[in-house]
Structure formats: C-alpha cells, structure tokens
Amino acid sequence: MNIPFAGNRQASGLKNSIHRDKLFTEADFYRRHCRTGEKNMNRIQISLPCGSGVMSAEVPTTGLLGIFRSRLAAAGSEEELVEAALEQPLGSPRLEELASGRRNAVIITSDHTRPVPSRIIMPRLLSRLRRGSPDIDITILIATGCHRAPTREELIEKFGAELFAAERIVCHDCDDESLLVRVGTLPSGGELVVNRLAAETELLISEGFIEPHFFAGYSGGRKSVLPGIAARRTVLANHCAEFINDPHARTGVLENNPIHRDMLAAARQLGLAFILNVVIDENKRIVHAVAGEPERAHAAGCEFLRSRCTLKVPVADIVVTGNGGHPLDQNVYQAVKGMTAAEAVCRPGGIIIMVAACGDGHGGESFYRQLRDAESPGQLLGEISRRSREQTEPDQWQTQILARVLSRHRVIMVTNDRRARQLIVEMHMEAAATLEEALRRAGEVTGKNAKTAVIPDGVAVVTVPEVGFGIKQSNAQPGRVIDGKTQLD
C-alpha cells in the first residue's frame, strides 16, 4: 500500500514519487500516522487548521487517496529573505533610490483578513524610504477593498503597538466619494476610481503576500490597487458575473484572465512603482520574498509558488479541506475560497467538507441574504449569470461562486460556533460541530467504498484533477507566466 501525502515534510526523504508528490511506504505510514495497537492500524488521524487551533478526526486508510499539501520550505530566516529581496529588486532600483528626492509616499498594505507579516515587512520598508529621503512624509494605506475597516486592536495585532503609535495609518473607504478620484478606464471599459491619497502621492508602493486566488489566479501585486484601494463601483465592475463565469477566472490562472487583466491595468495606470510580496507557509511564516517592479516581481513570486503548490489530486467522492485557519477562516465569505480547491477535484454530486471557525459569522450581509433568500443554489446561479456588469451587486461574486459549488456538490461546514452553524444552514449548506460528525454524515451518503482526499489548506494550493479519473482538463494553464512577466492582452 502507498498513500500519497503531497508535499508533506515528513516524507521528503523518501524516494518513491508520483507526479512529483511524495509517498509514504506502508511501514512509514503506520509508524508515523497510526495509533499504537493492531486494532487501529487501518485508521489515520487528520488535522486541519481551524481558527487559532485545529480540528482533528480519525479516518479509515481504506479509500484515502492522500493528504495533499503545498511544498514550501524556507531557505533562510524570515528577516534574511525580506532583506535579500530588497537588496536585489527585480527590474527596479532599490527602494531607497526610488525614495530619493521624494517628499511623500504611500505604502498600501492588506487589511485584517489577510495574514501579511507586516511586523517583519513594514519596518524595513519604512527604514529604506527614510534612508533615501529622511524627511519623507509616509502614509500607510489599509487596502480594505469592500471589507469593513479593521479595528484598533486588529491594527495593533498586525503592526505591533510601537509602529501603530508612531506612523500615520489610514483605512480606505470604497464608498466615501470625498476620498476617491477617477484616474482612467480599464480594458473592460470599467471606470478606474481609486483612493485619492494613492493617486496624488509622489511614490506609491505596496506590501502583500502571494497565494492562489480563486478567481484572480493569484493574490498579491496588482490586487493592492484593485480591489484593495478602489471605489466600490470599480470593484463591482471588475467582479461582474461575466468575468466570474469566464473559464480563465480560476485558481492559478493568469493568462487570459479578464479579472487579472483589469487589475494589472489598474496598477499600471495608478503608477504603482514598487512592491514587496512574500510567500508564507501553513504556519504563516515567510518562505520566499520578491521585490521590485510590480509586474516582474509578482510574476516571479507566482512562478515560485506555482511550482510548489500545484497538486494533481485524484477525483474523490469526499474532499475534506480548510481555509488555513486564522485570519482566513473567520467567516463563511472567506471560506468559499478554500471550497474551490475541493470543487476542482470532487466528483459531480460528491461531498465537500469545509473546516472553518467562522467566528465572524457570514462575513457579508448581501452575500448572506442572497443565499438565504434563494429558492435553490441553481436558481440563484442562473439569476446572477444573467446580470450585466452594471447590475453587479455587493458580494455577488462570492455568492455566485458558492452557488456554483452548491449546485454541483453537497457542502458540510464544520465549526464549533453555534451562531455560525445556524447561518450556514440558512445558506443552503449543512453544518457540523465536529469533523468526526461531518465525516460520519458524508460516509452515510457515499457508502463504505467512497474515495476521500484531504487538502488541509485549500487556499494554499492549486488543485488539478488527475488525468484518467473522468474529468476533462481545462485548456487554462494554472499559474502560467509568459517570458518572466505577466502579459496584458
């Protein structure tokens, strides 16, 4: 018996491989993953991140297709990786050289919903800007997109109390017209309206992290601008039903992705001059950093990630996944991202089990109401698909994707938050308090011969159905980067 554990560090020394994913031998498998005692030799404990902890359960080894993880390992300390990227930026002078002679600068950074390690990154950006221009006036602009503003406590957690107290920090508001300005037109014809501070600064840079993204291909880079600091109407046009339905608007796909195309154009038109983006592992530690000209640096970061997080997974009857724990699993809205990793490799009519804390509830009132009030996910999906760009509603994209998942699969969300479980049921899903309960329910439906795949961190991987398991592959190529730079069609 060989059970694949894609990218698991414990398997890194074994010679057996399939599709470049590591395999355990039968002896290693039992020794490392099964409880002591003959009666438990046919079971394995699986653990998935949930909030700040984990949820665990035992599953039969019979029918287990594997535990699939990205293959990320650091080549130095977090600080060393960031400093090395800043010392050798791609396609750009060093940041301190860019800052020379500038009177002011804006640093765009992610909000409380993203695990960007700003405590490590931000002090180094500030230091280099002031090294190049000692009297430079710096504003840190929180890219909230259409999210709520972070609380004071969330900002202190992100930056640390000392930096929070010392620096000017402003939260973007996508609805405050007095803070917005029109700067151009996007390739799709949409109006590009962004935060005035970013548009009027002498030097615009951003920090962020790169991970697979369920309709933009990958996060990071240009996403700091759109949707990060864009007006709501600009975000709505970019996230329209037409674009979400496009087969290229998928996880790991940049080429011919209409959402990515507009985002890239937005960053160009606004004049984003320099980025520092990092790749983080399942423990939220930096394993890679890129800096420099936004498109060159982002493309390099995406290629690094693509080569380590694209996993071939056999099509399964049951797919168990999570959203990477806090802060990415704080609500149902964010959990949709991890579901799409399972969607790609779950058979039609199969069951997706999503582990997410959801302590913040549904995460979007419009998102919640659209699902709650729908006759069925299929009916809602059809209705949204007929809407024009001008008719795009808040949170429609997340609703559309969840409705797509629910029209093809049964979803059981696992959370120990009682209030969240009620919301989940109202949104045409099932809720379970424990992973064991969810697995038991799924097994009752699929039977004892069901095949199960486990993807502990669904937002950290690009899942591709393994050829020969009954699902036709798309022509879209996950994470393809052309000539070292993402191309704008």
Side-chain angles (χ1 to χ4, degrees):
M1 177 186 69
N2 279 327
I3 294 181
F5 289 76
N8 193 304
R9 283 171 292 181
Q10 289 180 303
S12 61
L14 298 174
K15 296 181 179 179
N16 296 332
S17 64
I18 182 170
H19 302 303
R20 301 190 309 276
D21 297 335
K22 303 301 181 183
L23 294 175
F24 285 116
T25 65
E26 184 173 7
D28 286 328
F29 171 74
Y30 286 131
R31 183 173 65 252
R32 298 176 183 177
H33 292 277
C34 296
R35 297 178 182 275
T36 305
E38 191 70 28
K39 64 179 181 180
N40 289 317
M41 292 290 279
N42 63 343
R43 300 186 69 80
I44 179 174
Q45 180 170 288
I46 60 172
S47 296
L48 287 85
C50 185
S52 298
V54 297
M55 275 207 177
S56 302
E58 285 192 348
V59 297
T61 57
T62 303
L64 181 62
L65 297 171
I67 299 176
F68 299 86
R69 306 175 187 272
S70 58
R71 301 175 292 277
L72 294 173
S77 73
E78 295 182 280
E79 294 78 9
E80 288 171 343
L81 291 169
V82 170
E83 286 291 350
L86 288 170
E87 272 299 302
Q88 296 184 314
L90 301 172
S92 168
R94 293 188 180 94
L95 185 55
E96 52 268 41
E97 297 175 47
L98 290 178
S100 179
R102 308 295 179 110
R103 293 171 298 175
N104 54 70
V106 167
I107 307 174
I108 306 173
T109 184
S110 300
D111 67 8
H112 58 288
T113 66
R114 304 293 188 268
V116 177
S118 296
R119 291 189 182 215
I120 295 174
I121 300 172
M122 188 61 71
R124 287 165 172 78
L125 293 177
L126 294 168
S127 175
R128 285 180 180 257
L129 286 172
R130 288 171 176 143
R131 190 184 307 169
S133 180
D135 296 323
I136 193 169
D137 182 16
I138 302 172
T139 299
I140 298 172
L141 181 58
I142 308 295
T144 55
C146 296
H147 302 160
R148 67 167 175 83
T151 65
R152 181 178 186 275
E153 291 71 26
E154 287 168 335
L155 290 174
I156 291 175
E157 180 183 357
K158 177 180 177 65
F159 296 115
E162 184 177 343
L163 191 149
F164 174 78
E167 302 296 336
R168 182 188 183 210
I169 301 174
V170 176
C171 291
H172 171 66
D173 185 340
C174 68
D175 294 313
D176 189 340
E177 291 296 330
S178 69
L179 303 177
L180 303 171
V181 62
R182 186 184 187 281
V183 296
T185 303
L186 298 171
S188 63
E191 187 180 26
L192 178 58
V193 180
V194 298
N195 190 283
R196 185 179 296 275
L197 289 171
E200 296 178 352
T201 189
E202 293 186 6
L203 179 61
L204 181 64
I205 71 173
S206 71
E207 67 158 10
F209 86 121
I210 302 173
E211 67 172 351
H213 190 276
F214 65 140
F215 59 75
Y218 290 91
S219 66
R222 73 284 185 239
K223 277 187 94 267
S224 293
V225 174
L226 175 59
I229 58 166
R232 184 180 298 275
R233 61 184 180 275
T234 298
V235 176
L236 294 181
N238 179 252
H239 292 15
C240 65
E242 174 192 348
F243 286 179
I244 295 294
N245 274 340
D246 191 292
H248 298 92
R250 295 293 184 271
T251 306
V253 180
L254 296 177
E255 188 178 7
N256 297 323
N257 185 328
I259 296 172
H260 167 65
R261 184 187 300 122
D262 267 12
M263 290 176 175
L264 209 55
R268 287 179 181 176
Q269 290 185 34
L270 189 58
L272 182 64
F274 189 96
I275 68 168
L276 173 57
N277 279 189
V278 299
V279 175
I280 59 177
D281 64 14
E282 59 187 8
N283 297 313
K284 310 298 187 292
R285 291 183 57 82
I286 298 170
V287 297
H288 187 67
V290 290
E293 190 277 323
E295 292 179 35
R296 283 277 303 277
H298 185 251
C302 289
E303 180 58 28
F304 171 88
L305 187 58
R306 182 203 62 77
S307 66
R308 291 161 175 81
C309 74
T310 302
L311 303 176
K312 292 183 178 179
V313 181
V315 176
D317 302 294
I318 302 169
V319 182
V320 183
T321 192
N323 225 55
H326 180 78
L328 294 172
D329 72 342
Q330 62 185 272
N331 53 51
V332 180
Y333 184 98
Q334 293 295 331
V336 176
K337 298 176 181 179
M339 288 184 204
T340 61
E343 176 195 23
V345 295
C346 188
R347 69 163 172 80
I351 297 177
I352 294 172
I353 297 176
M354 162 56 68
V355 175
C358 296
D360 198 27
H362 49 64
E365 187 64 29
S366 178
F367 167 68
Y368 161 65
R369 290 183 180 277
Q370 288 181 74
L371 265 299
R372 184 199 64 183
D373 297 340
E375 178 182 317
S376 69
Q379 171 267 325
L380 179 60
L381 182 61
E383 177 190 327
I384 292 175
S385 297
R386 291 188 291 272
R387 294 177 189 168
S388 67
R389 295 181 196 175
E390 294 72 27
Q391 295 173 313
T392 305
E393 299 180 6
D395 300 330
Q396 173 185 294
W397 47 95
Q398 215 84 353
T399 306
Q400 182 178 357
I401 294 171
L402 180 53
R404 184 187 74 207
V405 173
L406 291 174
S407 68
R408 300 172 183 174
H409 309 286
R410 182 174 172 178
V411 174
I412 306 174
M413 289 198 67
V414 184
T415 173
N416 55 19
D417 189 295
R418 183 177 301 176
R419 182 176 62 93
R421 290 200 297 272
Q422 179 60 39
L423 296 172
I424 288 164
V425 171
E426 293 172 0
M427 296 171 74
H428 296 273
M429 292 178 282
E430 298 179 43
T434 66
L435 182 53
E436 290 177 340
E437 178 188 350
L439 286 163
R440 176 182 55 77
R441 280 199 228 160
E444 290 171 354
V445 174
T446 57
K448 63 181 182 180
N449 295 321
K451 302 296 183 183
T452 302
V454 180
I455 307 169
D457 189 352
V459 295
V461 298
V462 178
T463 51
V464 180
E466 188 174 353
V467 176
F469 281 79
I471 290 185
K472 185 177 180 181
Q473 297 255 63
S474 167
N475 289 328
Q477 299 182 39
R480 185 177 176 190
V481 178
I482 306 172
D483 296 329
K485 185 172 180 178
T486 304
Q487 298 298 300
L488 180 65
D489 297 336

